Short mmCIF file of all heavy atoms in Angstrom, two decimals:
data_model
loop_
_atom_site.label_atom_id
_atom_site.label_comp_id
_atom_site.label_asym_id
_atom_site.label_seq_id
_atom_site.Cartn_x
_atom_site.Cartn_y
_atom_site.Cartn_z
N LEU A 262 103.31 107.18 114.69
CA LEU A 262 104.58 107.62 115.26
C LEU A 262 104.65 107.32 116.75
O LEU A 262 105.71 106.93 117.28
CB LEU A 262 104.76 109.12 115.02
CG LEU A 262 105.01 109.52 113.56
CD1 LEU A 262 104.85 111.03 113.39
CD2 LEU A 262 106.40 109.08 113.10
N SER A 263 103.53 107.47 117.45
CA SER A 263 103.49 107.15 118.87
C SER A 263 103.74 105.66 119.11
O SER A 263 104.48 105.28 120.03
CB SER A 263 102.13 107.56 119.46
OG SER A 263 102.02 107.17 120.81
N GLU A 264 103.15 104.82 118.28
CA GLU A 264 103.39 103.38 118.41
C GLU A 264 104.86 103.05 118.15
O GLU A 264 105.44 102.20 118.84
CB GLU A 264 102.51 102.62 117.43
CG GLU A 264 101.05 102.53 117.83
CD GLU A 264 100.30 101.47 117.05
OE1 GLU A 264 100.61 101.27 115.86
OE2 GLU A 264 99.41 100.83 117.64
N LEU A 265 105.46 103.72 117.17
CA LEU A 265 106.88 103.51 116.89
C LEU A 265 107.73 103.93 118.08
O LEU A 265 108.67 103.24 118.47
CB LEU A 265 107.30 104.27 115.63
CG LEU A 265 108.77 104.20 115.25
CD1 LEU A 265 109.24 102.76 115.07
CD2 LEU A 265 109.03 105.01 113.97
N ALA A 266 107.39 105.08 118.69
CA ALA A 266 108.14 105.54 119.85
C ALA A 266 108.01 104.56 121.01
O ALA A 266 108.98 104.30 121.74
CB ALA A 266 107.63 106.93 120.27
N GLU A 267 106.81 104.01 121.17
CA GLU A 267 106.57 103.07 122.27
C GLU A 267 107.39 101.80 122.12
O GLU A 267 107.83 101.19 123.10
CB GLU A 267 105.08 102.74 122.34
CG GLU A 267 104.69 101.87 123.51
CD GLU A 267 103.19 101.68 123.62
OE1 GLU A 267 102.44 102.35 122.88
OE2 GLU A 267 102.76 100.85 124.44
N LEU A 268 107.60 101.37 120.87
CA LEU A 268 108.29 100.11 120.61
C LEU A 268 109.70 100.32 120.06
O LEU A 268 110.30 99.40 119.51
CB LEU A 268 107.47 99.27 119.62
CG LEU A 268 106.09 98.84 120.13
CD1 LEU A 268 105.28 98.20 119.02
CD2 LEU A 268 106.23 97.87 121.31
N ALA A 269 110.22 101.52 120.23
CA ALA A 269 111.53 101.86 119.65
C ALA A 269 112.65 100.95 120.14
O ALA A 269 113.62 100.70 119.41
CB ALA A 269 111.87 103.31 119.96
N ASP A 270 112.53 100.43 121.35
CA ASP A 270 113.58 99.57 121.91
C ASP A 270 113.22 98.09 121.84
O ASP A 270 113.85 97.26 122.49
CB ASP A 270 113.84 99.97 123.37
CG ASP A 270 114.30 101.41 123.50
OD1 ASP A 270 115.13 101.86 122.67
OD2 ASP A 270 113.81 102.11 124.41
N ASP A 271 112.21 97.77 121.05
CA ASP A 271 111.75 96.39 120.91
C ASP A 271 112.14 95.89 119.52
O ASP A 271 111.45 96.16 118.54
CB ASP A 271 110.24 96.33 121.10
CG ASP A 271 109.67 94.92 120.98
OD1 ASP A 271 110.42 94.01 120.58
OD2 ASP A 271 108.48 94.74 121.28
N PRO A 272 113.22 95.13 119.41
CA PRO A 272 113.70 94.72 118.08
C PRO A 272 112.72 93.82 117.34
O PRO A 272 112.77 93.73 116.11
CB PRO A 272 115.00 93.98 118.39
CG PRO A 272 114.90 93.58 119.83
CD PRO A 272 114.07 94.64 120.50
N LEU A 273 111.80 93.16 118.06
CA LEU A 273 110.85 92.26 117.40
C LEU A 273 109.76 93.02 116.66
O LEU A 273 109.17 92.51 115.72
CB LEU A 273 110.21 91.32 118.44
CG LEU A 273 111.14 90.32 119.11
CD1 LEU A 273 110.38 89.50 120.15
CD2 LEU A 273 111.77 89.38 118.07
N ASN A 274 109.48 94.27 117.09
CA ASN A 274 108.34 95.00 116.54
C ASN A 274 108.69 96.32 115.88
O ASN A 274 107.87 96.90 115.18
CB ASN A 274 107.31 95.26 117.64
CG ASN A 274 106.63 93.98 118.10
OD1 ASN A 274 105.85 93.39 117.38
ND2 ASN A 274 106.94 93.56 119.32
#
Side-chain angles (χ1 to χ4, degrees):
L262 290 167
S263 176
E264 285 196 325
L265 177 57
E267 185 175 351
L268 296 171
D270 300 318
D271 181 350
L273 294 177
N274 291 290

